[in-house]
Amino acid sequence: MKDTQIKKLIEAERKRQKRVINLIASENYVSKDVLEALGSELTNKYAEGYPGARYYGGNEVMDKVERLAQERALELFKLSPDEWAVNVQPLSGSPANLAVYLALCPPSRNPDSSFQPARVMGMTLAHGGHLTHGHKVSATGKFWTQVPYGVDEKTEVLDYEKIKEIATREKPAIIVAGYTAYPRIIDFKKFREIADFCGAYLMVDMSHFAGLVAGGVYPSPFEYADVVTTTTHKTLRGPRAAMIFSRRDPPNMIGRAGARELPKKIDKAVFPGLQGGPHLNQIAAVAVALAEAARPEFKKYTKQVVKNAAALAGELARLGWRIVSGGTDTHLLLVDVWMNGKGIGGKEASERLEKAGIIVNKNTIPFDTRSPVDPSGIRLGTPAETTRGKQEKDFTEIAKKINEVLRK
Ligand SMILES: Cc1ncc(COP(=O)(O)O)c(C=O)c1O
C-alpha cells in the first residue's frame, strides 16, 4: 500500500487485535478469503437493482455473485427457495431492520397529513434489546411507536405470559424477538402463538446467534417467523453486512392484506427505499462466509463457542460474581459487577480490563439502578477468542484474570 498513513494505522490495529483478549460478544475474526473478497475489484461496480433487473450495464458477473450469496444463505439455514426469499443487500443490521418495518408497516398519513406511526413491539434496550427494535433515539423509534417488553425481574428471563398480555393490549403490527444482550434461548413457538393471537407479524432478529443457528447449537427461528433479519459479522463470522429472509406465503397471515407480497415489499424497501447501489464486494464476502459456515468445522466451532461461554460464566460465578439470569445458553453472558455496591461500576470494570488487555463492553443489566454510561454490568462473549482456538480451560483462566483485575 502506498498510503503510508493508512498502512500504519491498519498495521497498528492488526497488532492491537493480536495483542488483546477480545470478549466483545458481537465481534469475530474473519478468514483471509473473506478479507480478499472485501478488498477485491467488485467494489468498483454499480449494480442498483436486483439480479436480472439492474439499472446499469455490465452486471453479468455481479448477478452471479448476488445469486450465489442468496443460494448459499438459503442452503445454510435449510430453507426452500419456494418458501423463503432472501435479500443480501442490506449494508448492515440497522438498515436491514429499518427496511423490514418500512416494508411491513410503513408510517401512514392522517387526513391532516400528520404521521400515523405503526407499533413495533420490541425488547427494551435496558433489558437487552437493540436500538433498532424501536428505541426512541433510533429512527425506528421516531417513525414507529415502540411497544416495549422486558424480562421478569426475579428470573431475568423472558416472561411470555406478560409479553402476551402486552401484545394483546397494544396490538402491535409487528413483534420483534432477538436481542443484543440476552444470554438465553428464545422460545420462538411461544412468540408465534402471541403474534397469531394479536394478529402481528413475527420478525426474529438473529444477528447475535445466526452462527449458532447455522451450527445447530441454537434453535432455528425459521419454523415460526415471517421475517428473519441478521447481521453477518457476529457469530456467523462474515464481513459487516446483513440479510433479510422473508416467507413467500406466511401461513398464519393468509387473508392479511399484502402478506403474500413480503419478499417483494422487502426488496423495494431495501432498494430504492433505503439504499442505492449494493456493495457487491461485501456480498461476495458474505457468500464466502456462508460457505465456510456450512462446513463441519464450523459446527465444531459453534459448539465450542457455547461450551466456552458456559465455562467462563461458571468460573466467574464460582469466584463470586453474579451472572444475570444465572448463566448462559449462548455465546454471551452478562456479569453484574456492581452487585448492589459490593463490586465496581461497569465503566470502571471495562476500563480496568482494557488496561489488562481484556476487551469487554460495559452494559446495563435488567432493572439497573445505575446509568447507561456507567451501568452495573459488563457483557462478555466467546466467538472471537474461540475463532483463535481457545477452549474451556483457557476461558477458566480468563475468568480468573478478570476476577483478579476487578478485585484489585
Ligand atoms: C440484535 C441486533 N440487531 C441489529 C444490530 C445492528 O447491526 P449494525 O451494527 O450492523 O447496524 C445489532 C448490532 O449490534 C444487534 O445486536
Side-chain angles (χ1 to χ4, degrees):
M1 185 186 284
K2 290 195 192 78
D3 185 328
T4 51
Q5 276 180 299
I6 286 294
K7 189 176 175 178
K8 258 193 201 156
L9 290 172
I10 293 174
E11 200 44 54
E13 174 58 14
R14 193 179 287 137
K15 277 191 185 143
R16 187 200 67 82
Q17 289 187 11
K18 280 212 169 120
R19 192 177 64 236
V20 300
I21 293 173
N22 182 5
L23 300 184
I24 303 283
S26 49
E27 291 181 7
N28 216 323
Y29 297 109
V30 299
S31 68
K32 286 225 162 63
D33 286 2
V34 167
L35 287 179
E36 202 173 303
L38 272 178
S40 69
E41 288 77 1
L42 302 193
T43 196
N44 297 336
K45 186 75 194 99
Y46 245 109
E48 275 184 0
Y50 288 100
R54 307 281 189 190
Y55 288 84
Y56 292 72
N59 272 308
E60 65 278 10
V61 178
M62 294 313 201
D63 281 3
K64 285 183 187 158
V65 171
E66 187 165 343
R67 284 201 176 108
L68 188 57
Q70 289 173 315
E71 279 165 29
R72 287 182 180 178
L74 293 176
E75 250 175 63
L76 182 65
F77 293 103
K78 303 183 176 67
L79 304 173
S80 153
D82 295 333
E83 287 174 28
W84 285 87
V86 59
N87 187 308
V88 294
Q89 293 195 3
L91 303 177
S92 217
S94 300
N97 288 349
L98 188 54
V100 175
Y101 307 151
L102 261 184
L104 268 52
C105 50
S108 53
R109 288 235 186 238
N110 290 320
D112 66 357
S113 85
S114 60
F115 264 121
Q116 180 64 52
R119 292 166 182 226
V120 170
M121 184 162 165
M123 168 99 94
T124 176
L125 185 76
H127 288 198
H130 189 257
L131 286 166
T132 56
H133 298 172
H135 191 276
K136 62 179 190 293
V137 301
S138 145
T140 62
K142 296 188 197 297
F143 298 111
W144 288 269
T145 301
Q146 189 194 41
V147 175
Y149 65 91
V151 296
D152 176 71
E153 189 159 4
K154 252 204 193 130
T155 61
E156 297 173 309
V157 299
L158 291 167
D159 175 350
Y160 294 95
E161 276 310 306
K162 188 80 197 288
I163 294 168
K164 185 175 179 186
E165 194 188 302
I166 300 170
T168 310
R169 189 179 61 236
E170 303 288 340
K171 300 214 170 356
I174 178 164
I175 299 178
V176 183
Y179 320 102
T180 199
Y182 182 70
R184 296 302 189 176
I185 280 172
I186 299 165
D187 190 335
F188 298 119
K189 186 165 184 261
K190 284 210 174 117
F191 267 109
R192 177 76 261 167
E193 286 162 9
I194 296 168
D196 287 344
F197 195 73
C198 69
Y201 285 108
L202 178 60
M203 164 179 147
V204 174
D205 177 350
M206 64 169 185
S207 290
H208 258 272
F209 51 83
L212 306 186
V213 173
V217 295
Y218 197 97
S220 168
F222 288 99
E223 193 182 336
Y224 301 107
D226 301 306
V227 175
V228 176
T229 61
T230 184
T231 54
T232 48
H233 45 275
K234 298 184 172 79
T235 47
L236 199 51
R237 210 161 61 182
R240 315 193 77 78
M243 304 187 286
I244 305 172
F245 298 86
S246 55
R247 258 187 208 278
R248 294 194 184 280
D249 198 0
N252 303 294
M253 288 286 156
I254 290 168
R256 191 180 163 126
R260 286 175 178 245
E261 304 280 299
L262 286 192
K264 233 199 235 163
K265 285 182 169 181
I266 283 169
D267 284 354
K268 274 193 182 159
V270 173
F271 171 81
L274 283 170
Q275 297 181 184
H279 297 185
L280 260 309
N281 59 321
Q282 192 188 33
I283 292 171
V286 168
V288 171
L290 291 168
E292 290 173 355
R295 292 190 194 134
E297 306 91 271
F298 192 81
K299 255 199 171 89
K300 257 172 88 184
Y301 160 71
T302 56
K303 250 191 202 158
Q304 193 63 52
V305 164
V306 173
K307 280 197 220 162
N308 286 348
L312 183 59
E315 183 64 7
L316 284 168
R318 196 187 66 78
L319 293 165
W321 296 97
R322 193 180 82 79
I323 311 298
V324 169
S325 85
T328 177
D329 307 322
T330 66
H331 62 298
L332 72 84
L333 49 136
L334 275 177
V335 188
D336 175 0
V337 287
W338 177 242
M339 295 201 299
N340 274 328
K342 289 194 286 273
I344 59 171
K347 182 169 181 282
E348 188 182 346
S350 67
E351 285 169 2
R352 276 202 211 173
L353 287 167
E354 180 155 4
K355 275 193 196 132
I358 300 176
I359 310 298
V360 307
N361 65 277
K362 60 184 182 216
N363 217 100
T364 51
I365 61 170
F367 305 95
D368 210 323
T369 51
R370 294 167 64 84
S371 87
V373 289
D374 187 9
S376 298
I378 54 173
R379 186 185 66 162
L380 311 180
T382 55
E385 291 302 324
T386 307
T387 292
R388 293 165 123 186
K390 291 204 172 60
Q391 302 197 335
E392 290 102 309
K393 60 179 183 344
D394 305 304
F395 276 93
T396 307
E397 288 310 307
I398 291 173
K400 288 194 173 109
K401 178 113 194 258
I402 291 173
N403 177 59
E404 219 174 85
V405 172
L406 299 187
R407 295 210 191 266
K408 248 192 234 161

